[in-house]
Structures are given as C-alpha cells and as structure tokens.
Amino acid sequence: MARVLVVDDDPALLRALRLGLGAAGHQVVVAASGEQGLAEATRSSPDVVILDLGLPDMDGLTVCRRIRAWSDVPIVVLSATGSEDRKVTALDGGADDYVTKPFGMAELEARIRAALRHRRAEADPGSPTEITVGPLTVDRTHHEARLAGVPVELTAKEFDVLAFLATHAEKVCTHQMILGAVWGTTYSREAQYLHAYVHRLRQKLGDASGIQIRTAPGIGYVLGVTEEAAPPEPPR
C-alpha cells in the first residue's frame, strides 16, 4: 500500500479518491491547488502523486516539472482532455502516466500499481546501470545518454524508450513490450505514442551516429549498430 498525494481542485473528486483509495488500503493526502500540492509533496514524502492538470493557481504541468526537479516520485496526471498532444506534453514534462476524466477507480488503482512497479524496477540493484551499444552509452543512474562521449538531450520518456531498446539491443522489441515497460500495461494498445517517440529519437541520434532504430513492420523496433559503425571482424 502507498502514501498517495492527490492534487485537484474538485472537492467531490477529492472526497471520492480519499474514500476509494483509502478503502484499498492507501494513505491519502489531498491538496486543492498547485502551491498546496508542492508543499504537501515536500512535507508528506508521498509514494505516488495524482495530479490534476487544470488547477486554479497554476498549470498542472508546471507543478509536475517543479516536483520532477527534485524528486523522482511517480506522477499520474489527470485531465478532462484526452488529446494526444496534451498527453505527450505531460509525459515529456515528467509524468509517469496519464488518465483522462472521467475514469474508474479500478483503472486509477491499476495505474498507481504500474507506476510504483516501474519505479521499483528502475531502482533494482540487479539492473545494469550503464549500457553500451557501439558508440552509444546509456547511463541509467544519471539518466544520461551519450554518443561517442557527447551527451544527447532527451526527455524523460525518450530516455526510457532508448534505455529499453539498448538493454535489448539487436533484438526485436514488440510495441507491447516497450509500451508496457515504459508506460505500463494499460498503454499496451496505444502504439501511436511509441511511433512519435521513436521518430524523435531517430532525429536526435542522427543518421551518422552509428546507431539505428530499425522498424520490424507490424511488430516493433530493433536498436543496433549500423554496418558502417560496426567494428571489423578479426582475421581468420
């Protein structure tokens, strides 16, 4: 069970989430504005934050970015709009998941469990902290990717996608595998997000980088070293 901070200005929704999440065994702390939410995030050290994007005093995305500047607590954002651009912006801003209003309590609880599992997996001491594929190095501890030693500027989700592909370099990673690992199983059918992120990763890595993300049509993607960047085979 988790300590959950809910930041929303709808009193009825706050009551419903306090009761519903509390009945599931969670400890629930509520805040009705962005400033209150930031204060509670510091004071109560929540295990997960449920954050409405439509707050009265500031944009929920601003709250998300300010929390993310000092904490890696899982953040699940709530919004009345389900537009793809809004979702991508929230995820790029540091959110771990996105739920569109209205939603069911069972769905929200599933998103909370997925976000917590993802954070635990990232903290798993058995996971490699640095992955090298040809000229690409992915540093999971510092959330940094480097090409031939030069840092590549990535959003949090771009990094997560790249890290997953690099972990399974030269293997076909299905859409469902990547979506499940990066966003959670509830996103397993929303491949349009993944297409957008892979497109941006390809642009940032560049054609001459020596790293290529190949498409397995209808299946997924493969990250590997291009033939030009591959080391020569030893003489026989």
Side-chain angles (χ1 to χ4, degrees):
M1 298 302 102
R3 182 183 297 108
V4 181
L5 169 61
V6 182
V7 186
D8 198 295
D9 64 331
D10 183 344
L13 182 61
L14 288 179
R15 284 195 300 272
L17 293 183
R18 192 198 294 269
L19 290 171
L21 295 176
H26 299 298
Q27 179 184 345
V28 183
V29 180
V30 300
S33 69
E35 287 294 348
Q36 290 178 16
L38 289 169
E40 283 296 345
T42 303
R43 181 165 41 249
S44 60
S45 299
D47 298 310
V48 63
V49 176
I50 308 299
L51 173 65
D52 182 33
L53 294 185
L55 297 170
D57 57 339
M58 67 176 73
D59 186 1
L61 290 175
T62 301
V63 178
C64 182
R65 294 189 183 103
R66 287 176 63 177
I67 292 175
R68 192 55 75 228
W70 56 269
S71 173
D72 64 352
V73 60
I75 300 173
V76 178
V77 298
L78 308 177
S79 178
T81 175
S83 72
E84 182 177 337
D85 288 345
R86 186 69 164 165
K87 289 183 179 181
V88 170
T89 300
L91 295 169
D92 278 349
D96 292 82
D97 207 343
Y98 189 109
V99 179
T100 304
K101 297 178 179 179
F103 54 85
M105 190 61 65
E107 177 190 3
L108 182 60
E109 288 180 25
R111 301 291 180 112
I112 291 172
R113 289 193 298 271
L116 291 171
R117 280 197 303 269
H118 188 213
R119 274 292 181 269
R120 284 195 293 267
E122 286 185 337
D124 181 3
S127 301
T129 57
E130 193 166 280
I131 306 156
T132 301
V133 183
L136 173 68
T137 300
V138 177
D139 184 341
R140 298 178 60 159
T141 301
H142 301 97
H143 271 241
E144 182 181 66
R146 299 184 298 275
L147 272 173
V150 179
V152 182
E153 187 174 338
L154 301 173
T155 67
K157 288 302 178 187
E158 287 170 354
F159 177 86
D160 288 344
V161 172
L162 183 63
F164 184 85
L165 291 172
T167 301
H168 305 281
E170 300 297 352
K171 297 178 181 178
V172 176
C173 298
T174 68
H175 298 136
Q176 288 82 0
M177 287 169 57
I178 305 170
L179 287 163
V182 175
W183 283 278
T185 55
T186 50
Y187 275 84
S188 62
R189 296 184 181 277
E190 302 195 45
Q192 71 272 17
Y193 295 135
L194 185 55
H195 299 329
Y197 279 91
V198 169
H199 175 71
R200 283 155 50 180
L201 280 173
R202 284 169 170 164
Q203 290 182 317
K204 292 186 176 184
L205 293 174
D207 294 334
S209 67
I211 294 295
Q212 183 180 59
I213 302 177
R214 302 187 297 275
T215 299
I219 301 174
Y221 298 98
V222 183
L223 181 142
V225 180
T226 61
E227 293 183 4
E228 293 82 359
E233 294 186 4
R236 297 179 179 178

